[in-house]
Amino acid sequence: LAQPQIAIQSQALTGPADLSAIYDAAPLQKANVLGQGQSIALIEESNIVVQDVTDFRKISGLPAATVNVIVNGADPGTVYGEETEAIADVEYAGALAPGATLNVVVTASTEFNQGIDLSTAYAVDNNISPITSLSYGGCEILNNTFAPNSVALYKAAYQQGAAEGISHFVSAGDYGASGCENSGLSTGYGVNAIGDSPRNVSVGGT
């Protein structure tokens, strides 16, 4: 039986070793394939407290991280409800690839675009990293109907990124194929709108 080592209010939490087991990364780690010489662009709309990453790595027994925060335009600061998403992205991308450089691309949301839209375009236009990681999601039908410009932006960015040799990884969504139904729409099954391009890899539950 599993023996959780980290628990908050009786809830067991997933740590780096669990992630390694879930994605069968142990053979790579034993071969010392730890992301050395690579960098990952984390697509965000909130800044982070880098000390949180330092503390996470220390508690988890991981080596110190190389974290670069790249702010595109005005700094949004640490945005309530978004900073926790951003810090989890940075910590767990680095957990599977502790030797990789973590480039956190941060853009403030505007009246017309979410920050993650603009961070995606910036990361591709400036070829920040050969890998991008985006953990957000949305109902495909809803996004196609109410956010066509955003949908077009991602499709164009992923196409451009593929031409540049960038590998884009996008979450499959917290609710998998039930993402649209969870939004309150009676639309049946649907994939994550941000990850529905043939030029990205949609992976993971969150």
Side-chain angles (χ1 to χ4, degrees), residues 71-83:
V71 179
N72 171 33
D75 188 346
T78 53
V79 181
Y80 179 78
E82 304 293 341
E83 192 268 344

Side-chain angles (χ1 to χ4, degrees), residues 16 19 39-57 60 62-70 82-106 133-136 206:
L19 200 65
S39 72
I40 305 169
L42 290 310
I43 305 301
E44 308 299 344
E45 54 191 30
S46 169
N47 211 324
I48 64 169
V49 177
V50 176
Q51 184 63 43
D52 290 343
V53 181
T54 301
D55 294 341
F56 172 83
R57 304 272 288 218
S60 303
L62 297 170
T66 300
V67 180
N68 301 313
V69 177
I70 302 166
E82 304 293 341
E83 192 268 344
T84 51
E85 182 89 14
I87 200 66
D89 293 345
V90 178
E91 289 173 348
Y92 278 88
L96 269 188
T101 295
L102 305 171
N103 293 323
V104 188
V105 182
V106 180
S133 176
L134 175 58
S135 68
Y136 286 74
T206 60

